[in-house]
């Protein structure tokens, strides 16, 4: 007869055991996404593993994802997200918790309201047009580099009101070094603070980013000062308040002018953490969504044809704008489907502050939790033929049947991505502008594989050859222009 103590011992979910003393972690494997998928197949919806002293539960079922993301605020904190890379993100919006996070989120929200997004849409179309104008048919490009570059320009102009082209040369390689040092074994070495050559490169890259960001802050302060001195003159003449004269504020201005209850402004360190978070979260992810979209379009000519048909019918060769977004429905589906197959944020971490009941298990306070967009969004229970790129699956009827949180590329609940609206607008307008003019063909002899790091980058980039589309309204306009100028 078993003793009552044993009978009531909490059940532990199945999972890999790993090495004695060390345990295991999906983050240590070169192909972390594949490891997670294998665990889901071998052990089911709730998987337990231990890494050193850290007990970790991986939850794959949409219902369990919902319990975490919509759970009692305060019970689920960021945990490993904050611990994994404190030098980079510091205590910014992505990593902070509690009342401090709430205050910072409230402060940043206005920069993502509808009117602000409409302003960013104009910048997006301008930058997309500039990019496609300097492309030439027949040339070969790394489309991932192009997308990183254009989304960085857009975020710098939109959120920080600056071009700073000279700084792009610093930000891009620094980010590359950071991502390369945050994969597989390196990410574990980071977590444990083990010095490795990659870690040294990582710190150098963070230092370079810091220089750029402190420069952005200093410029923002200067701009504000001169606006305020100009304002005093204007205000004394017209009686208008600061808002009347400055109009909508960019994010940096909002952060610079914010005051806490005692009237204190943010320290330079806090400003740096917020700016770096927005700068990185605001362009890396959207660039990846676009890079993977071009890859999937090149691999699926029938989808590409349907996309071109929509663009030709809806835009007829003119530049798109924010008001076209509701009509570009197929374009939207292409982006959604790409976010399903290649989610730029491919896993989410949390730590429980209290006991948490999930399925048949009781997780003690202090448990680490992993949710994986990569696995859940490729689960055949929710998505038939899950590995197939099928934008058509996003029809109303199928969407209505989908369990909530079977698809969560932007997370959910109070910590949902603050930039989701911005990102969808940006991806749609960039794709629409470029695809009106060009068809992108993958060059032969390249292996395109995802590199699971902080985000999901293509490991070796994506090389494409540009083909100008013939018989489109854009091409017809160009031919007419050429004829007119030669006449
Ligand atoms: C396709 C593009 C994007 C994807 C897939 C994405 C994904 C995500 C996800 C999954 C989260 C939640 C993380 C968690 O719960 O731990 C998140 C949070 C966040 N994202 Fe995005 N994001 C994208 C674009 C953007 C853009 C354009 C911005 C800003 C301009 C941005 C800024 C942020 C910030 C600041 C947070 C933290 C929000 C908070 O905790 O209050 N993201 N993003």
């Amino acid at each position: 007869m078993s003793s009552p103590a044993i009978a009531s011992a909490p059940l532990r979910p199945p999972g890999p055991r790993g090495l004695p003393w060390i345990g295991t972690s999906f983050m240590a494997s070169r192909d972390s996404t594949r490891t997670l998928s294998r665990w889901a197949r071998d052990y089911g919806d709730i998987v337990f593993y231990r890494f050193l002293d850290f007990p970790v539960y991986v939850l794959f079922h949409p219902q369990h994802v919902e319990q975490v993301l919509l759970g009692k605020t305060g019970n689920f904190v960021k945990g490993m997200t904050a611990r994994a890379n404190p030098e980079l993100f510091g205590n910014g919006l992505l990593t902070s918790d509690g009342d401090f996070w709430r205050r910072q989120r409230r402060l940043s929200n206005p920069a993502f309201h509808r009117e602000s997004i409409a302003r960013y849409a104009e910048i997006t179309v301008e930058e997309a047009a500039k990019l496609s104008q300097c492309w030439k048919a027949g040339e070969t490009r790394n489309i991932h580099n192009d997308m990183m570059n254009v989304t960085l320009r857009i975020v710098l102009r939109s959120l920080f009101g600056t071009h700073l082209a000279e700084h792009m040369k610093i930000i891009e390689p620094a980010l590359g070094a950071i991502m390369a040092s945050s994969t597989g074994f390196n990410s574990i070495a980071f977590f444990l603070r083990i010095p490795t050559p990659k870690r040294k490169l990582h710190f150098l890259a963070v230092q370079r980013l810091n220089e750029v960001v402190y420069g952005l802050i200093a410029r923002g302060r200067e701009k504000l000062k001169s606006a305020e001195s100009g304002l005093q003159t204007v205000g004394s003449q017209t009686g208008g308040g600061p808002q009347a004269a400055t109009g909508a504020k960019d994010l940096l201005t909002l952060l610079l002018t914010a005051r806490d209850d005692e009237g204190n402004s943010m320290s330079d360190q806090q400003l740096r953490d917020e700016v770096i978070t927005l700068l990185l979260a605001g362009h890396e992810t959207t660039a990846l969504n676009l890079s993977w979209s071009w890859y999937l379009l090149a691999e699926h000519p029938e989808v590409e044809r349907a996309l071109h048909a929509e663009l030709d019918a809806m835009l007829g060769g003119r530049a798109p704008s924010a008001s076209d977004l509701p009509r570009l429905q197929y374009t939207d589906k292409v982006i959604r489907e790409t976010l399903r197959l290649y989610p730029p944020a491919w896993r989410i971490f949390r730590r429980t502050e209290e006991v948490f009941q999930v399925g048949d298990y009781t997780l003690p306070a202090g448990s680490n939790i992993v949710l994986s967009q990569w696995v859940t969004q490729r689960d055949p229970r929710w998505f038939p033929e899950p590995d197939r790129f099928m934008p058509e699956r996003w029809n109303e009827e199928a969407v209505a049947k989908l369990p909530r949180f079977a698809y969560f590329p932007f997370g959910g609940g109070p910590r949902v991505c603050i930039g989701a609206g911005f990102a969808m607008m940006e991806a749609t307008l960039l794709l629409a502008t470029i695809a009106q003019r060009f068809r992108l063909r993958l060059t032969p002899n390249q292996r395109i594989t995802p590199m699971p790091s902080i985000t999901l980058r293509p490991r070796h980039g994506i090389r494409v050859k540009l083909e100008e589309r013939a018989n489109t309204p854009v091409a017809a306009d160009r031919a007419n222009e050429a004829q007119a100028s030669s006449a």
Side-chain angles (χ1 to χ4, degrees), residues 22 41 87 162 196 212 217 230 238 288 293-294 300 437 480:
I22 294 174
R41 207 181 48 234
E87 302 80 14
T162 177
T196 61
V212 172
I217 295 170
T238 63
L288 289 177
S293 296
W294 292 121
H300 297 84
R437 216 187 123 195
N480 290 341

Side-chain angles (χ1 to χ4, degrees), residues 341-355:
L341 283 171
Y342 292 97
W346 55 282
R347 80 282 192 257
I348 285 180
F349 295 117
R350 289 291 187 273
R351 198 187 66 234
T352 56
E353 293 287 87
E354 296 168 13
V355 167

Side-chain angles (χ1 to χ4, degrees), residues 57-305:
Y57 298 81
V58 195
L59 310 180
F60 296 117
H61 196 287
Q63 231 168 30
H64 302 153
V65 174
E66 176 170 352
Q67 269 182 275
V68 174
L69 293 181
L70 300 188
K72 200 171 106 194
T73 329
N75 188 18
F76 298 97
V77 293
K78 285 281 178 153
M80 286 194 279
T81 312
R83 198 190 146 110
N85 224 324
E87 302 80 14
L88 181 61
F89 292 116
N91 202 29
L93 204 53
L94 193 64
T95 41
S96 56
D97 271 309
D99 289 341
F100 180 79
W101 161 77
R102 220 179 315 279
R103 191 192 87 123
Q104 298 298 93
R105 173 101 186 193
R106 209 177 314 124
L107 241 154
S108 308
N109 271 336
F112 296 93
H113 285 167
R114 194 187 293 265
E115 317 80 67
S116 305
I117 304 269
R119 262 192 303 134
Y120 308 154
E122 285 171 27
I123 296 174
T124 302
V125 174
E126 243 178 72
E127 291 294 337
K130 255 193 246 169
L131 178 69
S132 71
Q133 273 155 21
C134 75
W135 282 2
K136 288 186 193 64
E139 70 178 333
T140 301
R141 308 189 65 94
N142 181 338
I143 193 68
H144 176 231
N145 287 349
D146 278 328
M147 294 299 106
M148 288 291 282
N149 193 279
V150 72
T151 54
L152 182 55
R153 280 172 192 285
I154 293 168
V155 87
L156 280 171
R157 283 184 64 191
S158 305
L159 297 183
F160 306 109
T162 177
H163 287 272
L164 287 185
E166 74 271 25
H167 288 154
M168 313 264 297
K169 289 194 205 93
I170 301 175
I171 297 176
E172 286 174 332
L175 259 181
I178 288 166
M179 292 300 159
S181 64
S182 308
T183 59
F185 172 75
N186 286 300
S187 65
I188 295 286
F190 260 69
F191 197 68
L192 300 176
R193 307 269 169 272
I194 300 170
T196 61
K198 280 253 165 81
R199 189 165 151 84
K200 203 166 158 201
L201 289 178
H202 176 94
F203 282 124
L204 279 175
V206 173
Q207 232 172 43
R208 304 213 75 192
L209 279 183
N210 282 348
E211 284 160 22
V212 172
V213 169
Y214 282 122
L216 271 175
I217 295 170
R219 274 166 93 132
R221 283 225 161 90
E222 259 169 48
K223 247 171 69 182
L224 200 64
K225 230 190 257 166
S226 51
E228 275 168 1
S229 57
L231 215 69
Q232 273 167 7
T233 339
V234 176
S236 59
Q237 286 163 0
T238 63
Q243 207 61 29
T246 53
K249 290 177 179 176
D250 64 35
L251 184 83
L252 186 57
T253 311
L254 285 170
L255 296 174
L256 284 167
T257 50
R259 298 289 176 267
D260 66 14
D261 295 343
E262 277 95 47
N264 301 316
S265 56
M266 269 183 231
S267 67
D268 267 14
Q269 171 73 42
Q270 186 57 39
L271 279 167
R272 174 254 172 231
D273 292 350
E274 298 299 357
V275 168
I276 225 159
T277 298
L278 264 307
L279 200 59
L280 302 198
H283 95 287
E284 165 89 15
T285 43
T286 315
L288 289 177
N289 175 222
L290 283 157
S291 305
W292 290 117
S293 296
W294 292 121
Y295 162 66
L296 289 167
L297 284 169
E299 289 273 69
H300 297 84
E302 73 293 352
V303 174
E304 190 188 52
R305 268 194 299 278

Side-chain angles (χ1 to χ4, degrees), residues 383-404:
F383 299 98
E385 297 185 73
D387 296 332
R388 234 182 105 187
F389 178 55
M390 249 189 333
E392 290 73 17
R393 73 168 84 237
W394 292 99
N395 62 64
E396 254 175 58
E397 199 188 330
V399 170
K401 281 193 207 143
L402 210 57
R404 201 172 174 195

